Amino acid sequence: MARMRAVDAAVLILEKEGATQAFGLPGAAINPFYSALKKHGGVKHVLARHVEAASHMAEGYTRAAYGNIGICIGTSGPAGTDMITGLYSASADSIPILCITGQAPVAKLHKEDFQAVDIASIAGPVAKWAVTVMEAAQVPGTFQRAFWLMREGRPGPVLVDLPIDVQLAEIEFDIDTYEPLPVLRPAATRAQAEKALEMLNSASRPLIVAGGGVINADAAGLLVEFAELVGVPVAPTLMGWGAIPDDHPLAAGMVGLQTSHRYGNATLLASDFVLGIGNRWANRHTGSISTYTEGRKIVHVDIEPTQIGRVLAPDYSIVSDARAALEVFIEVAREWALEGKLAGRWTWGEECRERRATLQRKTHFDAVPVKPQRVYEEMNRAFGPETRYVSTIGLSQIQAAQLLHVYRPRHWINAGQAGPLGWTVPAALGVAVADPESTVVALSGDYDFQFLIEELAVGAQFNIPYIHVVVNNSYLGLIRQAQRGLEMDYCVQLSFENLNSPELNGYGVDHVKVAEGLGCKALRVSEPDEILPALEQAKKLLDEFHVPVVVEVILERVTNVSMGTEIDSINEFEPLAETAEDAPTAVTTLAPGVLSAAAPASS
């Protein structure tokens, strides 16, 4: 059996487990691990500028493709604490990433040694497992268990902390006979599938809600096949967006208080049965449970037993991986179809399509300063179905979810539950590393963009091209809108007179100069007719220079975005679409003419 350093065994295990892309920063306490990375060469590495950013890069990398596990590496002390936000974000959205930290020697862990911190205790609440390895011989088993845990059941992140003396110690290890541990996932039984389908089949107006678990299970194709078999419309959650193409006849739109469609909410409210697959019933999807559930039966399918009944009490539930459940659902549905037992729902499907065709928000505004709706209209024109969108939080993300279009799984990549500001730049870099052939388009408000803006230099250094659309109103727009109820506008303005860029007219930070200073290309537009040409120019710059390209659009300072506290009472602050020309890039079967059922705006 070969004798090697514990870190050599760890790196060889990474390669054997298929985790071959790392993001991080070296440091004294993790340098032995980096020496193993250099020695073996099977794990690629991108040098981040901030360890939190490295954790989000690992998230973006994982989220971009089924089976990916991104690695985040940092030294002892603050590097580990910097990873906590990434661990929280990954844990909240069921994303497996492996965080590896250096640590002080074992004998000095309780002596307040330099940068010695109990990172395993700190990270424990936001990870599936966080462990400091105290014996070198435990390193192989620890890494093997880490990968098993990340994949088993509900996926999630793990942190492994390696004291420097543990890294350097020699152990006996045979990588040639190493094998990943088998992963078992709960699966729906035939009897459970029949029970759920009996309930669905007896409903007059059923709806499927597809959550992020469908994406994580690589089951989007099965979801569409099942929906087509039973003829039931599908409402993806924000984390499940792309599980069914937006232009599919059974795409019913998203439901919720913020990232939702008017027609999606209307269809949910008109339904009498909801089958949730791989979703959490998040509060921004449901609003109050009484409004969401009144008049309809609920069936919930989720891989995590503790999710069942956590938010609402379903009428029936199944603990199952989404793929496994859909496979047996399809098996039963096919048999019932051959036997003529499946109910027909042509009228219900037509009603859903009619709502999608008529309940649209207006996007075509010619005002200067630019209204944000026009930005998303032009993005729909500039970017096709193959585009991968990346965003995290704010009015920009909320309105993008209302107005952009997504046609494929993992083409809307979003930090859902945590929503950390600054996530978008590093996550987009991780996505672009995972899929260098795709067009990756990030979307941020100005404040999200400023949080980890230094990571643009990573894209320039390592030639990681993507387009970043920055909608700049020089405001914390989402917080300002939330403050309306308190009748204040306090500590949310980012505007100031920039002495070095007076042409910004009080909009503060010169994002173009900052982006160019970090080695990227950048464009700024201030009129609606300039947006599409700028996006087309950005695509050309991307191909020519292979670096991030920033397109900044100067917006009106104040825009209130459609949202509310209940799914049956969303406030619409702008005029709604009355003709097809009002929403020219909406996914609808309408010919030019009058849109019916266009209600007046409310405030």
Side-chain angles (χ1 to χ4, degrees), residues 103-118 134 163-165:
Q103 181 59 277
V106 170
K108 295 189 176 183
L109 290 180
H110 304 293
K111 298 180 182 294
E112 296 189 2
D113 206 45
F114 178 67
Q115 291 188 340
V117 65
D118 187 357
M134 306 297 281
I164 190 167
D165 51 337

Side-chain angles (χ1 to χ4, degrees), residues 128-328:
K128 285 192 77 172
W129 187 39
V131 59
T132 298
V133 186
M134 306 297 281
E135 298 285 346
Q138 294 179 335
V139 167
T142 298
F143 275 83
Q144 187 178 45
R145 182 167 189 256
F147 279 97
W148 174 74
L149 275 173
M150 283 188 285
R151 295 168 175 146
E152 183 86 0
R154 179 183 179 182
V158 167
L159 180 139
V160 176
D161 185 45
L162 298 173
I164 190 167
D165 51 337
V166 170
Q167 295 178 58
L168 291 167
E170 289 197 345
I171 61 172
E172 300 286 342
F173 180 66
D174 183 4
I175 188 60
D176 292 332
T177 57
Y178 175 92
E179 290 295 332
L181 292 173
V183 174
L184 300 176
R185 296 186 178 93
T189 67
R190 170 79 186 210
Q192 289 173 325
E194 289 179 346
K195 173 71 173 178
L197 264 65
E198 283 171 2
M199 295 175 70
L200 181 150
N201 209 35
S202 64
S204 300
R205 302 178 304 282
L207 182 67
I208 297 169
V209 171
V214 174
I215 305 291
N216 286 347
D218 199 32
L222 293 174
L223 172 78
V224 174
E225 182 181 352
F226 174 63
E228 290 174 347
L229 269 171
V230 294
V232 175
V234 177
T237 67
L238 184 66
M239 300 307 295
W241 197 12
I244 186 169
D246 272 359
D247 60 355
H248 192 283
L250 291 173
M254 283 191 284
V255 176
L257 306 181
Q258 296 180 343
T259 55
S260 61
H261 301 106
R262 295 177 65 218
Y263 49 93
N265 282 349
T267 290
L268 185 283
L269 291 166
S271 69
D272 63 357
F273 174 88
V274 175
L275 169 61
I277 305 177
N279 63 309
R280 293 185 297 109
W281 309 115
N283 67 306
R284 293 192 178 187
H285 168 79
T286 63
S288 70
I289 299 305
S290 58
T291 299
Y292 190 88
T293 59
E294 184 179 4
R296 57 194 60 87
K297 291 187 179 297
I298 306 287
V299 171
H300 190 197
V301 179
D302 197 82
I303 195 170
E304 173 55 51
T306 62
Q307 289 292 343
I308 304 297
R310 173 174 285 185
V311 177
L312 57 80
D315 296 278
Y316 185 67
S317 61
I318 301 171
V319 176
S320 176
D321 170 71
R323 168 174 280 275
L326 284 164
E327 286 173 344
V328 69

Side-chain angles (χ1 to χ4, degrees), residues 121 254 320 329 511 565:
S121 293
M254 283 191 284
S320 176
F329 284 179
H511 298 114
T565 57

